Amino acid sequence: MTDLSLLLSANPFLAPPMPKLLIADDHPLFRAALRQAASDAVNGMQVCEAESLEGVLAALDAAPDTDLILLDLHMPGNHGLAGLAAIRAQHPGVAVIVVSANDDPRVVRRALDHGAAGYLPKSSGLNELHDAIRSVMACEQWLPAALRASVARAQSSSHDSELAARLASLSPQQFRVLALVAEGLLNKQIADRLDVQERTVKAHLSAIFERLGVRNRTQASVVLRELELSDPARQLE
């Protein structure tokens, strides 16, 4: 046993914390498969699960030291890149690997531009999943080999890049207000939902309009709707 191992065994408080993973998908069998694969990829990985975007954000509020999320683009409350944007705005220190049946290089490019650390098609094998988790945990960006060339050729949209930058400029609470505005809630309803005063909501809205370069609630809602994507699974129904 090395000197470091002896030291850690003598004082477990010096041991590095176990990495934390959040699996965000609304299909229980797929979550179970991801959980097993993640445990095989990284020893000692602590794994939690969520089946909706609301559940994801609640889990991150409860465990802000989460290291990595495997995020389904199409789960309840998340229709495309809006969930990714919400996570990046409210928990910028958490890495996100998007997991999706959509392997369109343009969609992958948009996900990376909006802050994803990796993109994993649902058709990927176990070795690719292991590689993706290990690479992103090592602070590297990851894409499957079959998509790297086509994604590299996909041009980043200047509008998308500007949109990502504007959304990233919002504080976590401002993003929550924006999301509730997009749901159609009035100021008083937003205040009740967030347990703040109505004048606080109005102040947030003024800041949101300025940072997004919009004039009203309707235009602000449109900004989030620009992040919506069609679900390939539903197109097959």
Side-chain angles (χ1 to χ4, degrees):
M1 186 177 289
T2 65
D3 291 342
L4 179 58
S5 298
L6 287 170
L7 181 61
L8 292 178
S9 62
N11 189 347
F13 294 105
L14 295 179
M18 290 186 292
K20 293 183 179 180
L21 169 70
L22 176 60
I23 298 173
D25 193 282
D26 60 328
H27 295 94
L29 289 177
F30 194 70
R31 288 201 307 272
L34 288 176
R35 173 185 281 270
Q36 182 60 54
S39 298
D40 292 341
V42 179
N43 291 332
M45 178 83 80
Q46 298 182 58
V47 183
C48 295
E49 299 178 11
E51 59 184 21
S52 67
L53 180 59
E54 182 179 0
V56 169
L57 296 176
L60 291 176
D61 287 340
D65 59 339
T66 298
D67 297 290
L68 174 63
I69 303 173
L70 299 180
L71 177 69
D72 182 9
L73 282 185
H74 300 284
M75 61 191 301
N78 184 29
H79 306 289
L81 299 172
L84 173 62
I87 293 167
R88 298 298 300 149
Q90 297 180 39
H91 299 277
V94 181
V96 180
I97 296 176
V98 168
V99 181
S100 176
N102 193 334
D103 58 2
D104 184 333
R106 294 167 297 179
V107 172
V108 179
R109 179 75 267 162
R110 290 190 70 193
L112 297 177
D113 289 344
H114 281 279
Y119 198 101
L120 185 73
K122 286 192 173 182
S123 59
S124 301
L126 283 177
N127 288 339
E128 287 183 310
L129 175 58
H130 293 165
D131 191 31
I133 292 174
R134 290 168 182 156
S135 295
V136 173
M137 291 294 293
C139 299
E140 300 172 1
Q141 188 180 86
W142 189 89
L143 290 175
L147 283 176
R148 288 170 193 164
S150 56
V151 172
R153 289 193 298 268
Q155 297 267 335
S156 293
S157 163
S158 58
H159 175 73
D160 236 24
S161 299
E162 292 170 5
L163 176 58
R166 281 183 283 158
L167 290 172
S169 73
L170 300 179
S171 71
Q173 190 75 328
Q174 287 167 354
F175 196 98
R176 294 186 187 102
V177 170
L178 174 61
L180 294 174
V181 167
E183 290 181 19
L185 272 64
L186 302 176
N187 287 356
K188 186 178 186 312
Q189 294 171 311
I190 295 173
D192 291 342
R193 181 78 65 88
L194 298 179
D195 195 23
V196 299
Q197 295 186 352
E198 192 171 349
R199 67 170 179 265
T200 301
V201 174
K202 292 179 179 178
H204 281 318
L205 282 174
S206 295
I208 290 167
F209 294 166
E210 180 179 355
R211 294 185 181 186
L212 295 184
V214 300
R215 297 180 179 179
N216 53 49
R217 304 166 72 93
T218 300
Q219 292 178 347
S221 299
V222 168
V223 169
L224 273 191
R225 284 200 291 273
E226 290 182 32
L227 298 177
E228 293 181 355
L229 297 170
S230 60
D231 185 351
R234 297 203 171 195
Q235 292 176 1
L236 296 175
E237 294 175 355

